[in-house]
């Protein structure tokens, strides 16, 4: 079981090595802004690639939160596509194992089918050198990937793209819980839709089931069903990246929580 954590971009290798983990996820810039991407690693992109390979650490890039390729607003959708391409290109330069992007949403007054079509068009137009992993989201009545019904519609739309085989799924346990999806049996239900789970974001939730709130908690300290969490972690067959809060010791405790399941 490959375990890792979301860390600061300045030196992800040192931080993951300190945690004793094997995978690092980080942003290539401010997740709330449109500028970037850029590599913060002091020695640059090629050195990051080489040093990560030497250390045996897998790298994952999380795209900015502001991206929404499903949007019906041209001023959001078009820059989102452009920025996503930049993220994918730089991720390939550093040898990343994947780029994670949120499923996005359309407005409450919009037809969700337009959002699914926009996703297909985006996938059609991207050059995808590393896997693009769509992440399920916690909230939003017109979200593309909150409920399993919507996820099925999204996957059906994407399947019509020539790039469909380059698209994977990142399953976030906090988002699933907050989005109203029971964790027990979730892996099988998701695989029945997508055929794959490429990455798990291992997070507990500070809020109640179906709250729609994206607020992470340390494993075993939140409102997620602990047996459901354990089931996802042990049956997904995918690397697990923790995005839980706290200092090094808190993160080590979360990594141990998962490691003790095996």
């Amino acid at each position: 079981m490959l375990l890792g954590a979301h860390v600061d971009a300045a030196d992800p290798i040192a931080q993951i090595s300190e945690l004793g983990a094997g995978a690092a996820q980080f942003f290539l810039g401010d997740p709330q802004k449109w500028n970037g991407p850029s590599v913060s690693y002091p020695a640059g992109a090629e050195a990051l690639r080489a040093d990560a390979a030497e250390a045996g650490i897998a790298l994952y890039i999380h795209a900015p939160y502001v991206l929404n390729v499903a949007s019906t607003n041209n001023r959001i959708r078009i820059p989102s596509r452009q920025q996503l391409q930049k993220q994918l290109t730089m991720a390939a330069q550093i040898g990343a194992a994947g780029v994670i992007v949120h499923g996005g949403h359309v407005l409450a007054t919009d037809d969700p089918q337009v959002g699914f079509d926009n996703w297909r068009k985006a996938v059609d137009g991207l050059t995808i050198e590393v896997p693009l992993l769509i992440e399920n989201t916690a909230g939003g009545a017109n979200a593309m990937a909150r409920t399993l019904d919507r996820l099925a519609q999204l996957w059906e739309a994407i399947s019509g793209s020539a790039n469909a085989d380059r698209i994977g799924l990142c399953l976030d346990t906090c988002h699933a819980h907050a989005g109203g999806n029971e964790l027990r049996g979730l892996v099988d239900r998701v695989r029945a839709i997508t055929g794959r789970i490429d990455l798990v974001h291992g997070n507990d939730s500070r809020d109640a089931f179906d709250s729609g709130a994206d607020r992470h908690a340390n494993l075993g300290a939140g409102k997620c069903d602990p047996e459901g969490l354990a089931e996802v972690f042990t049956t997904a067959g995918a690397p697990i990246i923790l995005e839980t809060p706290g200092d090094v010791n808190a993160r080590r405790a979360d990594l141990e929580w998962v490691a003790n399941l095996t």
Side-chain angles (χ1 to χ4, degrees), residues 103-153:
H105 62 278
V106 294
L107 298 177
T109 54
D110 290 331
D111 179 356
Q113 187 58 50
V114 178
F116 301 134
D117 290 342
N118 285 340
W119 251 112
R120 179 189 53 77
K121 293 173 185 176
V123 171
D124 279 343
L126 291 170
T127 299
I128 307 175
E129 298 180 72
V130 301
L132 176 61
L133 310 181
I134 301 176
E135 182 178 354
N136 62 306
T137 50
N142 239 356
M144 301 291 98
R146 174 178 177 173
T147 67
L148 296 188
D149 286 346
R150 288 289 177 85
L151 184 64
Q153 291 176 276

Side-chain angles (χ1 to χ4, degrees), residues 69 80-86 88 119 121-129 132 163 167:
V69 301
S80 293
R81 290 181 185 177
Q82 294 169 341
Q83 179 62 232
L84 186 54
Q85 181 61 72
K86 293 176 182 178
L88 286 162
W119 251 112
K121 293 173 185 176
V123 171
D124 279 343
L126 291 170
T127 299
I128 307 175
E129 298 180 72
L132 176 61
N163 279 331
I167 306 301

Side-chain angles (χ1 to χ4, degrees), residues 2-245:
L2 178 61
L3 299 179
H6 187 94
V7 294
D8 185 81
D11 196 344
I13 296 173
Q15 293 174 74
I16 291 300
S17 297
E18 183 181 12
L19 289 170
Q25 176 184 281
F26 51 95
F27 295 111
L28 292 172
D30 189 328
Q32 301 292 354
K33 294 183 179 179
W34 293 94
N35 57 307
S38 61
V39 173
S40 300
Y41 196 63
E46 289 302 321
L48 175 57
R49 179 180 189 137
D51 292 349
E54 184 177 358
I57 294 173
L59 304 178
Y60 287 89
I61 299 304
H62 199 306
Y65 297 136
V66 293
L67 271 59
N68 182 7
V69 301
S71 177
T72 56
N73 185 337
N74 290 345
R75 295 183 178 181
I76 296 174
R77 185 181 66 259
I78 294 173
S80 293
R81 290 181 185 177
Q82 294 169 341
Q83 179 62 232
L84 186 54
Q85 181 61 72
K86 293 176 182 178
Q87 297 281 324
L88 286 162
T89 299
M90 186 157 285
Q93 291 175 6
I94 66 171
V99 172
I100 300 96
V101 63
H102 286 180
H105 62 278
V106 294
L107 298 177
T109 54
D110 290 331
D111 179 356
Q113 187 58 50
V114 178
F116 301 134
D117 290 342
N118 285 340
W119 251 112
R120 179 189 53 77
K121 293 173 185 176
V123 171
D124 279 343
L126 291 170
T127 299
I128 307 175
E129 298 180 72
V130 301
L132 176 61
L133 310 181
I134 301 176
E135 182 178 354
N136 62 306
T137 50
N142 239 356
M144 301 291 98
R146 174 178 177 173
T147 67
L148 296 188
D149 286 346
R150 288 289 177 85
L151 184 64
Q153 291 176 276
L154 175 58
W155 231 255
E156 181 179 3
I158 289 171
S159 68
S161 171
N163 279 331
D165 64 335
R166 305 297 293 157
I167 306 301
L169 181 77
C170 174
L171 177 60
D172 188 300
T173 51
C174 170
H175 296 178
H177 164 89
N181 302 287
E182 294 283 355
L183 294 181
R184 298 193 202 194
L186 182 61
V187 166
D188 288 341
R189 296 196 301 276
V190 168
R191 280 206 190 111
I193 294 168
T194 65
R196 58 195 291 174
I197 297 173
D198 299 82
L199 185 69
V200 172
H201 277 171
N203 304 306
D204 211 323
S205 172
R206 289 175 54 189
D207 294 279
F209 181 77
D210 205 18
S211 64
D214 181 6
R215 300 197 297 176
H216 298 181
N218 296 99
L219 300 180
K223 300 294 181 62
C224 285
D225 170 17
E227 292 187 12
L229 281 173
E231 181 183 298
V232 171
F233 296 158
T234 56
T235 63
I240 300 169
I241 296 287
L242 302 179
E243 300 176 314
T244 50

